[in-house]
Amino acid sequence: DTGVSQDPRHKITKRGQNVTFRCDPISEHNRLYWYRQTLGQGPEFLTYFQNEAQLEKSRLLSDRFSAERPKGSFSTLEIQRTEQGDSAMYLCASSPPGGGTQYFGPGTRLTVL
Amino acid sequence: QQQVKQSPQSLIVQKGGISIINCAYENTAFDYFPWYQQFPGKGPALLIAIRPDVSEKKEGRFTISFNKSAKQFSLHIMDSQPGDSATYFCAASMGSGANNLFFGTGTRLTVIP
């Protein structure tokens, strides 16, 4: 399978715990994006990387959120001190050099109890 | 503030009919307009995309109509099939798709046999 992969697919955690999600983009895609999608809404942009550089962060990305892409390949998204409002689907997408189509992974569904 | 407005919220169409979903935007810097299809529990998948230098793009049963002066674009699904039942999102981006996508709120399409 050469698509975008995300791990885990589902995560249930208690309020106040830290969680980390992983995204593996399509190989040779240098851009990687994180989005958040709540029920009945469209995805909302969180942040994106070009290679290992984080080029843009949304205001939605509070101080409790941090994303990394240390070697320009996979990326991690960490949420510290989770809150119930963090419950959502976290989507990762990647695109080839020069932009164009963003290919989405299956998402990680986070439930904060 | 919603950068891309989408309507209707839900749509029911008979098999073989035409499904039409509309979107509008304000930011004239947008230069890439994709449509994504999403099934429950899955990530969005690109359906078709258009750039503002053309007024229409057709791929199989899917057609995008684009009106630059009105800042509107729409998706037409011809000969709608039950397998087309999904949620459809329009989106817009700057930088020919290299930058983050702004999504509409989605249209839940149901095609009845």
Side-chain angles (χ1 to χ4, degrees), chain A residues 29-46:
Chain A
H29 279 195
N30 65 336
R31 287 188 174 234
L32 186 149
Y33 310 78
W34 285 99
Y35 293 83
R36 181 174 68 185
Q37 185 177 24
T38 53
L39 204 60
Q41 298 296 317
E44 294 176 294
F45 169 74
L46 293 178

Side-chain angles (χ1 to χ4, degrees), chain A residues 79-92:
Chain A
I79 309 175
Q80 296 183 327
R81 305 181 303 282
T82 52
E83 301 173 355
Q84 288 185 325
D86 297 331
S87 295
M89 175 80 88
Y90 290 84
L91 294 163
C92 175

Side-chain angles (χ1 to χ4, degrees), chain B:
Chain B
Q1 182 183 0
Q2 193 72 31
Q3 295 261 8
V4 180
K5 296 182 180 179
Q6 183 172 348
S7 63
Q9 189 174 7
S10 62
L11 183 61
I12 299 174
V13 172
Q14 291 270 2
K15 178 182 175 182
I18 302 173
S19 304
I20 302 174
I21 305 170
N22 300 300
C23 285
Y25 65 97
E26 285 297 325
N27 191 340
T28 55
F30 288 146
D31 61 4
Y32 177 72
F33 302 89
W35 283 89
Y36 281 84
Q37 179 189 57
Q38 187 175 32
F39 293 102
K42 305 289 186 183
L46 179 73
L47 206 55
I48 186 172
I50 198 168
R51 301 186 192 279
D53 53 344
V54 298
S55 60
E56 186 175 282
K57 184 175 181 180
K58 182 176 181 179
E59 289 184 1
R61 295 185 295 111
F62 302 94
T63 300
I64 298 179
S65 296
F66 186 84
N67 186 330
K68 188 174 181 178
S69 60
K71 291 184 284 186
Q72 296 175 347
F73 57 111
S74 60
L75 175 69
H76 292 62
I77 305 174
M78 312 299 287
D79 186 28
S80 298
Q81 299 297 312
D84 296 332
S85 297
T87 300
Y88 292 81
F89 294 97
C90 60
S93 174
M94 291 176 273
S96 298
N99 296 325
N100 56 289
L101 292 166
F102 294 91
F103 282 86
T105 50
T107 296
R108 178 175 285 187
L109 172 65
T110 303
V111 181
I112 53 178

Side-chain angles (χ1 to χ4, degrees), chain A residues 23-96:
Chain A
C23 171
D24 287 88
I26 295 171
S27 62
E28 299 179 358
H29 279 195
N30 65 336
R31 287 188 174 234
L32 186 149
Y33 310 78
W34 285 99
Y35 293 83
R36 181 174 68 185
Q37 185 177 24
T38 53
L39 204 60
Q41 298 296 317
E44 294 176 294
F45 169 74
L46 293 178
T47 188
Y48 85 89
F49 294 83
Q50 179 168 298
N51 300 313
E52 64 274 9
Q54 189 171 18
L55 294 188
E56 189 174 345
K57 293 194 292 186
S58 161
R59 286 176 294 175
L60 291 175
L61 212 66
S62 75
D63 291 345
R64 296 184 298 105
F65 288 70
S66 63
E68 293 182 342
R69 194 182 184 199
K71 296 182 180 179
S73 56
F74 73 91
S75 175
T76 57
L77 178 68
E78 180 183 17
I79 309 175
Q80 296 183 327
R81 305 181 303 282
T82 52
E83 301 173 355
Q84 288 185 325
D86 297 331
S87 295
M89 175 80 88
Y90 290 84
L91 294 163
C92 175
S94 70
S95 68

